[in-house]
Amino acid sequence: MEIWINPACSKCRSALTLLDAEGAEYTVRRYLEDVPSPDEIRDVLGRLGLEPWDITRTQEADAKELGLKEWPRDADARERWITALAEHPKLIQRPIITAQDGTAVVGRTDEAVRDALGR
């Protein structure tokens, strides 16, 4: 199990606290420092069953500068979104937990973190 975190994020800290309380074994990835490649983002999207725009923090300053709210959300634009996430990792929703069964969840709630633990 791996968890992508931003240590400044309260949701990330809550997820880590819950994982520790449950005795889970996991690896922490500070994704702002250890930036995921486009291939890693594609892999996580497949595991999540989501599209890149589904895990994009559109209220971030970088998103506003890029004009992401205006970008198309379709198959033709998918790679453009993935490139933006790789080049601006602050835009990636957090925390993302990759589960033991090959799936992943965006662990913004205790329920989602517990879901990842049960997989």
Side-chain angles (χ1 to χ4, degrees):
M1 180 180 291
E2 182 176 78
I3 181 169
W4 293 7
I5 68 156
N6 172 350
C9 168
S10 64
K11 300 284 185 190
C12 293
R13 292 191 306 271
S14 293
L16 292 173
T17 299
L18 182 54
L19 290 173
D20 289 341
E22 296 293 329
E25 290 185 28
Y26 60 91
T27 302
V28 170
R29 179 171 186 171
R30 293 178 180 220
Y31 71 93
L32 297 179
E33 298 162 16
D34 183 7
V35 179
S37 69
D39 284 341
E40 289 174 305
I41 293 169
R42 281 186 212 92
D43 178 62
V44 162
L45 288 167
R47 293 174 85 165
L48 287 165
L50 297 173
E51 291 297 336
W53 45 86
D54 296 326
I55 65 161
T56 301
R57 298 172 57 84
T58 57
Q59 297 302 314
E60 291 286 336
D62 288 354
K64 291 176 182 176
E65 277 183 35
L66 293 169
L68 287 182
K69 285 194 172 188
E70 310 307 318
W71 288 15
R73 296 177 181 214
D74 58 27
D76 291 338
R78 189 173 199 267
E79 286 305 309
R80 183 179 180 198
W81 283 84
I82 289 169
T83 298
L85 292 173
E87 291 176 357
H88 306 275
K90 263 189 156 172
L91 298 177
I92 300 172
Q93 190 59 264
R94 59 189 183 251
I96 293 177
I97 303 169
T98 56
Q100 301 285 3
D101 69 352
T103 62
V105 299
V106 178
R108 295 198 53 80
T109 65
D110 286 354
E111 188 175 272
V113 175
R114 284 191 182 91
D115 183 40
L117 284 167
R119 294 182 179 194

